[in-house]
Amino acid sequence: MGEIAKLELNGKLYELPVIEGTENEKGIDISSLRAATGGYITLDPGFKNTGSTKSAITYLDGENGILRYRGYPIDQLADNASFLEVSFLIIYGNLPTKVELDQFKESITNHTLVHEDMKQFFEAYPAKAHPMGVLASMICSLSTFYPESLNEDRAPEAKDLTIHRLIAKLPTLAAWSYKNARRHPFMYPNNNFDYCENFLHMMFAMPTSNYEIDSVVVSALNKLLILHAEHEQNCSTSTVRIVGSSHANLYASVSAGISALWGPLHGGANQAVIEMLEKISNDGGNVDKWVAKAKDKNDSFRLMGFGHRVYKNFDPRATIIKKACDEVLVKLGVNDPLLEIAKKLEKVALEDEYFKARNLYPNVDFYSGIIYKAIGIPTEMFTVMFAIGRLPGWIAQWGEMIENKEPIGRPRQIYTGENHRDYVPVEKR
Ligand code: ACO
């Protein structure tokens, strides 16, 4: 007999089963609450205490700074695997065999081109369009080119085709959104390159000149994508699951995830970090002044790249990324003054009572922006890079939700508006 939670309400006792995960995480199953109590619901703004699903994809222990994809520790994957290998693991549940990996890579490589008609969409966007806005629209537009993906009864192979198309085309569309913003000609994918190389080629090569692919840059990019690949029920992933729960197609669901990721409190934080560091630098580099602003409750300024909803000790990805950041800057010979400000900011914040008391540590985005900057990615593309990395996670979570036949996501609310009132014609108001 497992644990049981008891809820006493108006003198009546309700028993609620306790659910236990494979890592002994516990949750009270309240799925029968409303029916049993005659209408009571739970209220949990921001879902801080609410589990929306059971999931077998990612284990995350925020208190102890643990992150594992399908059981494998993030540091082992980041140090040894390729992004496509990790994507396969996350989506299909196990590390691929050599044959499986070769087939997966080949399929992805064969789908990197996007339909020529899609190029015309880009031309309609103004040069100042933020690439995240362009990317979200382009990914949703893919569904119009593959209408068979709207069919819910698709065979597994057809589902795989959609998945492979998405993974293959996202970097192409991402790089083209950048080229378009510069009004530079698009570079087509090159099937001789691997996933990361190809993206760098489409971003930085020109018809007039090749881009010299640097292995240090490729390896840093590979690591960054792995670190971002999956993170259980975060804002964008929950968005993908909830949109997909209405049986909207995968392209539409991922497009919604991209939009959710864009916000500065989520994936947009990597762009916000660099903008913040630049602001501090332009203001004379007085870190203490900006830390004081972040602590001032009358000031809306927050230290971007600090704090996390689930990591209350440290973000294990930030530890890996910090090391990678130091290595990349040394290897590329980049001396970025923003890094000095970042280090000062980190030191002050980690020693300050305000941040210590609230368990606010640097998160993954605090350092990722500095690496992206060092490898030549423009600031407005940082969140796009995050989207490329997070795609396998969104796909896996969407697939799990469909496979588990989860019901449509539809939270309840406690209504606090006006009571019944009768309509009054405008001339009598
Ligand atoms: N700077 C200053 N104070 C902060 C910060 C920060 N970055 N983050 C949280 N706090 C304070 C809050 O003011 C609050 O203080 P209080 O208890 O005195 O009211 C306390 O710490 C708790 O903060 P919440 O906002 O309640 O924490 P929540 O879990 O809701 O938010 C979030 C987490 C959104 C990440 C928040 O820490 C934040 O805004 N950070 C900056 C943006 C950022 O880096 N986002 C990226 C997250 S990682 C990712 O999505 C990939």
Side-chain angles (χ1 to χ4, degrees):
M1 179 77 175
E3 284 176 69
I4 286 193
K6 290 184 180 165
L7 171 72
E8 194 180 330
L9 189 66
N10 300 328
K12 212 174 153 197
L13 209 59
Y14 299 91
E15 292 196 340
L16 301 163
V18 170
I19 304 289
E20 193 168 338
T22 47
E23 291 285 347
N24 309 321
E25 292 172 298
K26 291 182 180 175
I28 301 167
D29 179 353
I30 56 138
S31 50
S32 63
L33 185 71
R34 190 165 179 278
T37 57
Y40 283 81
I41 60 165
T42 56
L43 184 63
D44 185 21
F47 312 122
K48 292 192 179 193
N49 306 281
T50 298
S52 57
T53 188
K54 290 184 209 161
S55 179
I57 301 169
T58 289
Y59 175 62
L60 197 167
D61 175 347
E63 274 69 33
N64 295 307
I66 297 174
L67 175 63
R68 296 182 204 133
Y69 300 158
R70 302 283 189 184
Y72 295 99
I74 186 66
D75 52 328
Q76 292 184 19
L77 294 171
D79 283 346
N80 301 297
S82 73
F83 175 64
L84 283 188
E85 197 180 351
V86 172
S87 301
F88 187 101
L89 167 72
I90 291 172
I91 295 169
Y92 298 109
N94 285 303
L95 282 171
T97 61
K98 171 91 176 60
V99 173
E100 284 171 333
L101 184 58
D102 287 347
Q103 284 170 349
F104 186 58
K105 277 186 188 162
E106 196 188 331
S107 176
I108 301 296
T109 307
N110 285 339
H111 287 103
T112 47
L113 266 182
V114 296
H115 198 290
E116 281 294 291
D117 289 353
M118 281 195 90
K119 278 169 65 182
Q120 292 168 28
F121 296 172
F122 281 98
E123 283 154 23
Y125 285 107
K128 60 178 187 261
H130 194 287
M132 282 296 274
V134 176
L135 195 65
S137 319
M138 288 294 172
I139 291 298
C140 199
S141 302
L142 282 175
S143 62
T144 65
F145 287 83
Y146 305 108
E148 69 281 2
S149 68
L150 312 187
N151 178 359
E152 281 182 23
D153 306 321
R154 282 167 303 129
E157 312 81 66
K159 201 160 88 182
D160 276 347
L161 182 59
T162 299
I163 290 172
H164 294 192
R165 276 186 178 137
L166 257 174
I167 298 175
K169 292 178 201 309
L170 183 58
T172 310
L173 293 169
W176 284 11
S177 71
Y178 168 66
K179 290 285 193 197
N180 187 56
R182 308 206 131 196
R183 294 295 189 255
H184 282 175
F186 298 143
M187 290 304 293
Y188 283 95
N190 181 331
N191 285 1
N192 296 319
F193 293 136
D194 81 6
Y195 197 76
C196 291
E197 291 169 346
N198 211 0
F199 174 72
L200 292 165
H201 157 77
M202 290 186 287
M203 278 286 290
F204 300 121
M206 297 285 272
T208 46
S209 58
N210 284 334
Y211 168 74
E212 286 297 323
I213 291 176
D214 183 332
S215 61
V216 173
V217 174
V218 173
S219 140
L221 180 57
N222 182 61
K223 198 172 279 221
L224 279 164
L225 295 183
I226 292 174
L227 291 177
H228 284 95
E230 162 57 15
H231 214 232
E232 51 120 296
Q233 310 310 319
N234 56 83
C235 175
S236 57
T237 303
S238 297
T239 302
V240 170
R241 281 185 91 122
I242 213 160
V243 173
S245 77
S246 75
H247 295 193
N249 66 81
L250 181 56
Y251 296 113
S253 305
V254 167
S255 164
I258 293 173
S259 298
L261 188 74
W262 192 358
L265 297 191
H266 189 17
N270 54 16
Q271 175 173 342
V273 168
I274 290 293
E275 286 166 355
M276 173 188 77
L277 294 175
E278 277 166 354
K279 206 189 249 178
I280 297 175
S281 172
N282 295 339
D283 187 46
N286 184 348
V287 165
D288 292 335
K289 173 182 160 189
W290 289 84
V291 170
K293 270 168 78 64
K295 287 161 38 174
D296 182 354
K297 292 290 168 204
N298 297 317
D299 192 323
S300 62
F301 174 74
R302 279 189 164 199
L303 279 191
M304 287 293 125
F306 275 77
H308 199 279
R309 171 60 61 78
V310 289
Y311 292 120
K312 299 301 180 193
N313 180 342
F314 68 95
D315 181 339
R317 302 166 303 171
T319 314
I320 301 169
I321 237 174
K322 185 180 176 190
K323 197 166 151 260
C325 186
D326 290 340
E327 282 167 13
V328 167
L329 294 184
V330 169
K331 280 189 193 155
L332 295 180
V334 174
N335 191 5
D336 191 338
L338 293 190
L339 187 64
E340 284 315 305
I341 295 184
K343 283 188 173 155
K344 273 194 214 158
L345 204 57
E346 182 199 26
K347 191 164 180 291
V348 175
L350 291 180
E351 287 167 359
D352 190 289
E353 252 335 289
Y354 172 96
F355 292 89
K356 276 165 54 181
R358 289 168 182 76
N359 295 315
L360 299 171
Y361 297 88
N363 58 47
V364 65
D365 289 322
F366 190 67
Y367 294 103
S368 66
I370 294 167
I371 303 192
Y372 287 138
K373 191 164 179 280
I375 64 178
I377 307 282
T379 314
E380 71 278 9
M381 283 293 287
F382 288 2
T383 316
V384 168
M385 305 306 297
F386 192 156
I388 298 174
R390 183 53 55 84
L391 182 62
W394 289 333
I395 292 171
Q397 298 274 350
W398 169 87
E400 183 176 63
M401 183 267 312
I402 297 284
E403 212 158 281
N404 291 348
K405 298 192 170 39
E406 291 185 11
I408 185 166
R410 204 299 186 189
R412 296 230 168 217
Q413 63 164 21
I414 300 289
Y415 176 68
T416 58
E418 298 285 348
N419 292 121
H420 176 109
R421 43 183 177 168
D422 288 324
Y423 174 78
V424 179
V426 69
E427 55 281 3
K428 292 198 179 157
R429 274 175 233 158

